[in-house]
Amino acid sequence: MPGISFDRAVDYYDATRGYPPGVAEQLRDALVATLQLSQHARLLEAGIGTGRIALPFIEKGYFYVGVDLSRRMMGQLCQKLDRRVHQAYLVCGDVMHMPAADAAFDAAIMAHVLHLVADWRRTLNEVRRVLRPQGAIVLLSDERNGQDGDPPTPRMQVQQAWSAILDELNVPPDQRRESAPHGLDERFQSHLEASGATVARTTLLTYRQSSQSVRSVAQRYQERMYSSCWVLPDDVHAEAARRLQRWINDHPNPDTMHEPSARIDAMIARWV
């Protein structure tokens, strides 16, 4: 199995995973500064999707190659690029078998990809193979549950409620993908260090999320907008969605809008 295709998410992906205006450009600038990228750097993104990270780099004229299982997701990026002149190249392929030559890139970017592939170790090895000797792998993680000391965000509240409902329904781990490493899992760092990399963690930027409420976040679970819902059997998801609706009905403020704080963290592996 190559991994999970996001073809089914193409119509709502940007609305549910996209950044508020200006954040993607800030992320680009932070990565350029942190990695000390020259304008001539050759960049790879494994799991490019609709280009929420890639587009600011492409618009600045960087040489950018994106690999993704979903032609439909990359089709959205093509529409955004329209007929503009650029150095972007999109490849429909499996990141566990990277369709690129050895030592072809200066840096590789991955955001929320490794929990979707069948073998994350193989994926990291493949990305390492296509890097130049002093290249860097950048794993990005959107930390959207607020900062320490903040009240629980709508997303955090709904996640906890959904998890409790799945517990009530005795949903087994393989239908919840709980064993898949998410975010910046320590296993990623250990694997990269074992391959000779020096690994550092950093927060690239903080920002305010788009307005959301408990109800609006819960509806994403009910409508199976998250990949974690796709593996649930239809009858199990339907019952979980019904129970989540009861939880919403009992919530004291399900429609209060919030703009919680969030940050983008990075794990950066370099070989020197």
Side-chain angles (χ1 to χ4, degrees):
M1 286 182 58
I4 297 175
S5 170
F6 270 57
D7 275 351
R8 66 188 290 173
V10 67
D11 294 328
Y12 58 79
Y13 186 85
D14 284 348
T16 57
R17 277 42 160 225
Y19 295 120
V23 172
E25 289 75 16
Q26 292 177 46
L27 175 57
R28 175 203 59 207
D29 294 344
L31 285 169
V32 168
T34 300
L35 300 177
Q36 297 183 319
L37 295 175
S38 77
Q39 189 64 42
H40 303 293
R42 296 169 64 89
L43 307 178
L44 168 73
E45 185 175 350
I48 191 171
T50 62
R52 64 177 187 142
I53 294 168
L55 193 59
F57 282 97
I58 295 168
E59 291 174 335
K60 274 286 188 178
Y62 281 92
F63 181 97
Y64 208 99
V65 174
V67 179
D68 204 288
L69 279 177
S70 173
R71 291 183 183 274
R72 294 190 67 206
M73 292 281 281
M74 292 188 292
Q76 291 286 88
L77 175 53
C78 288
Q79 291 181 25
K80 296 173 189 176
L81 292 172
D82 196 14
R83 297 184 179 181
R84 285 177 281 180
V85 177
H86 57 76
Q87 297 187 86
Y89 303 90
L90 305 181
V91 182
C92 186
D94 178 2
V95 296
M96 292 194 302
H97 305 275
M98 195 65 68
D102 294 355
F105 299 97
D106 297 292
I109 299 169
M110 285 184 281
H112 300 285
V113 171
L114 293 177
H115 69 287
L116 301 172
V117 299
D119 189 337
W120 60 265
R121 294 176 179 84
R122 181 169 186 162
T123 300
L124 287 175
N125 293 344
E126 272 292 275
V127 174
R128 169 69 182 111
R129 175 183 63 79
V130 303
L131 284 183
R132 291 173 173 170
Q134 295 185 326
I137 291 177
V138 182
L139 306 182
L140 298 176
S141 180
D142 296 289
E143 302 297 329
R144 292 182 172 137
N145 282 335
Q147 310 300 312
D148 293 340
D150 287 350
T153 66
R155 182 182 178 92
M156 183 183 297
Q157 293 178 56
V158 175
Q159 282 178 331
Q160 292 173 346
W162 184 254
S163 181
I165 289 169
L166 297 186
D167 287 341
E168 293 171 3
L169 296 173
N170 296 314
V171 177
D174 64 314
Q175 292 180 7
R176 299 168 71 159
R177 300 222 322 270
E178 290 181 338
S179 61
H182 288 71
L184 303 182
D185 193 285
E186 291 182 0
R187 286 171 283 183
F188 302 152
Q189 180 168 344
S190 297
H191 182 79
L192 291 165
E193 288 176 340
S195 71
T198 298
V199 180
R201 292 176 179 239
T202 187
T203 294
L204 293 172
L205 60 96
T206 58
Y207 65 97
R208 286 284 173 185
Q209 299 175 57
S210 299
S211 295
Q212 57 187 247
S213 67
V214 162
R215 189 185 304 276
S216 67
V217 175
Q219 285 175 342
R220 298 178 185 179
Y221 284 86
Q222 293 173 312
E223 296 173 12
R224 305 185 91 163
M225 290 186 175
Y226 294 122
S227 61
S228 60
C229 297
W230 301 346
V231 295
L232 292 173
D234 291 346
D235 60 333
V236 173
H237 181 269
E239 177 58 26
R242 283 192 289 270
R243 296 190 185 195
L244 186 63
Q245 186 59 51
R246 290 201 296 267
W247 176 82
I248 296 169
N249 294 342
D250 292 338
H251 194 283
N253 300 295
D255 297 307
T256 300
M257 301 303 293
H258 300 265
E259 291 185 356
S261 60
R263 68 182 192 272
I264 303 176
D265 289 351
M267 179 184 292
I268 302 172
R270 299 176 187 267
W271 287 262
V272 293

